[in-house]
Amino acid sequence: MVRHTATSVVTIERFIIEQEGRHPEATGHLSGILYDLGVAAKMIANKVRSAGLADILGSAGTENVQGETQQKLDIIANEIIVKAMDHGGRLCAMASEESEDIIPIPDTFKHGKYVLLFDPLDGSSNIDVNVPVGTIFSVMKKITHGPRGCLKDMLQPGHRQVAAGYVIYGSSTMLVYTTGHGAHGFTLDPSIGEFLLSHPEIRIPEHGHYLSVNNAYEQHWTEPVRALMRRYRGLDGKREAMSGRYVGSMVADFHRNLLGGGVFAYPPNSKNPGGKLRLLYECNPLSFICEQAGGAAFDGHTRILDVQPTSLHQRTAIYVGSKCDIEIAREMLG
Ligand code: AHM
Ligand code: MG
């Protein structure tokens, strides 16, 4: 395999093709899916960049200059992904956090052997205040035998993902993905419109410095969760105190901790007793990436990637990040 350093100029397309070359049996379909997702990411990035201008360009927030009705950005992002992905002949169905049911591939297009699950714009409540948001995706192989993808194909445990990734629309746009051979990051060079390899083989530090959790829910946590958070904050004297960082956009919080080390936690609380975040669209893909980078992810009882999903929009608690810090959660909660 060709090894790249952060100083070689490698486009995401070339990197995907090189990775595919490691699998002589590969048909190129998974590579095609990843490439098309990169295109969708660039289109969404473009919309996110001008988000603050929507009211100026539209009239009274209802129509834009072309007379089209203004839509919320998460709906726009959802449509961009569906339209970029439905006709490639590689997918047999999709599921989105924004759509109640499975999104079928129209009969006019060829059906492929993969399903795609995605959160088109995670943290979208942050858009209005110019805080980073993201797109998260997960790809699985179809396991049923009919021509179309169905619910059973979607409800596979996370360890069966064949690819997963996220895009962060921050001060720069970055796409991070894994196909089970490490986690790799690409930064969009806006001047040439290409994602270039900027973070090859990401490794999350074994011990982290940052703790990302919404402390406002402390009163609603269980006592073991409170004790765990006290441990992370160094209040029980058993470890060095972590520093708090909570953006409220999971992708942004996760990304910081992936690169710098730390824990992102969304424990169950009395308002969200099963947790808030979605297993299939948010927790599975980010847990896969984290494990590929040397980290770990846990739901309070079980490794996230071993949870057998039972419904499309299932929620879960999550503790994800640096391996040794997640081990503490396992000891104190498991
Ligand atoms: P969303 O998918 O509706 O945007 O919600 C998910 C977001 C995450 O990005 C973030 O970590 C979490 O919700 C924040 O929730 P809270 O405001 O309860 O802390
Ligand atoms: Mg979300």
Side-chain angles (χ1 to χ4, degrees):
M1 184 208 165
V2 185
R3 289 194 88 78
H4 297 296
T5 66
T7 52
S8 333
V9 177
V10 182
T11 63
I12 194 166
E13 187 179 6
R14 189 175 134 203
F15 189 87
I16 290 169
I17 291 168
E18 281 176 10
Q19 290 248 318
E20 185 191 305
R22 300 168 58 157
H23 303 275
E25 73 291 354
T27 56
H29 284 200
L30 183 59
S31 298
I33 292 169
L34 293 169
Y35 182 76
D36 288 347
L37 283 166
V39 173
K42 285 190 253 182
M43 293 171 74
I44 298 170
N46 183 42
K47 298 284 181 195
V48 170
R49 296 272 165 259
S50 52
L53 297 172
D55 287 346
I56 300 170
L57 300 177
S59 78
T62 53
E63 286 191 346
N64 64 15
V65 281
Q66 283 92 36
E68 296 159 336
T69 304
Q70 296 266 299
Q71 283 178 305
K72 281 178 68 189
L73 260 178
D74 37 13
I75 306 296
I76 295 174
N78 195 56
E79 281 180 4
I80 287 175
I81 295 178
V82 171
K83 289 199 176 121
M85 307 304 300
D86 67 356
H87 59 280
R90 297 152 186 141
L91 297 176
C92 57
M94 290 182 259
S96 162
E97 196 186 292
E98 292 293 333
S99 309
E100 203 177 325
D101 297 318
I102 288 178
I103 305 164
I105 301 296
D107 284 336
T108 39
F109 302 132
K110 234 182 111 201
H111 289 217
K113 60 181 177 187
Y114 292 100
V115 293
L116 172 70
L117 303 104
F118 59 93
D119 180 355
L121 211 56
D122 181 60
S124 54
S125 63
N126 281 325
I127 281 272
D128 294 345
V129 290
N130 218 341
V131 164
V133 289
T135 296
I136 315 174
F137 60 88
S138 162
V139 183
M140 309 244 200
K141 244 187 194 153
K142 180 173 185 289
I143 49 170
T144 58
H145 299 296
R148 293 162 184 283
C150 61
L151 189 60
K152 196 170 172 196
D153 298 307
M154 307 284 176
L155 301 184
Q156 301 184 59
H159 65 250
R160 304 199 63 155
Q161 293 173 103
V162 293
Y166 65 86
V167 186
I168 175 165
Y169 310 102
S171 47
S172 59
T173 299
M174 261 192 86
L175 189 155
V176 176
Y177 85 88
T178 182
T179 52
H181 302 283
H184 311 283
F186 302 80
T187 303
L188 182 63
D189 180 338
S191 62
I192 57 168
E194 291 276 8
F195 278 108
L196 302 178
L197 181 64
S198 52
H199 296 67
E201 295 178 31
I202 297 170
R203 301 304 294 170
I204 181 170
E206 289 203 341
H207 298 267
H209 188 57
Y210 294 124
L211 171 63
S212 305
V213 67
N214 189 339
N215 282 320
Y217 296 124
E218 183 160 5
Q219 57 181 317
H220 304 291
W221 291 335
T222 61
E223 190 43 45
V225 170
R226 273 190 219 123
L228 173 65
M229 296 305 155
R230 279 199 299 274
R231 170 75 56 88
Y232 283 148
R233 287 191 229 136
L235 297 177
D236 65 2
K238 292 190 176 160
R239 66 157 287 160
E240 204 183 304
M242 295 172 97
S243 205
R245 292 283 191 284
Y246 192 72
V247 167
S249 254
M250 189 187 191
V251 168
D253 283 312
F254 175 84
H255 182 70
R256 181 209 316 103
N257 297 350
L258 183 72
L259 298 186
V263 170
F264 172 89
Y266 204 110
N269 56 52
S270 44
K271 283 185 178 169
N272 300 293
K276 172 187 177 186
L277 299 170
R278 317 278 179 146
L279 176 62
L280 297 180
Y281 313 112
E282 292 160 332
C283 299
N284 268 346
L286 297 186
S287 299
F288 187 20
I289 289 170
C290 192
E291 285 197 5
Q292 285 295 313
F298 169 69
D299 73 354
H301 306 279
T302 310
R303 174 189 176 219
I304 290 276
L305 297 185
D306 285 337
V307 175
Q308 173 62 54
T310 52
S311 68
L312 210 47
H313 296 285
Q314 183 169 337
R315 295 172 193 269
T316 177
I318 185 167
Y319 307 81
V320 57
S322 294
K323 201 174 194 161
C324 298
D325 301 317
I326 299 302
E327 197 44 49
I328 295 175
R330 222 187 293 272
E331 280 161 20
M332 295 181 68
L333 305 176

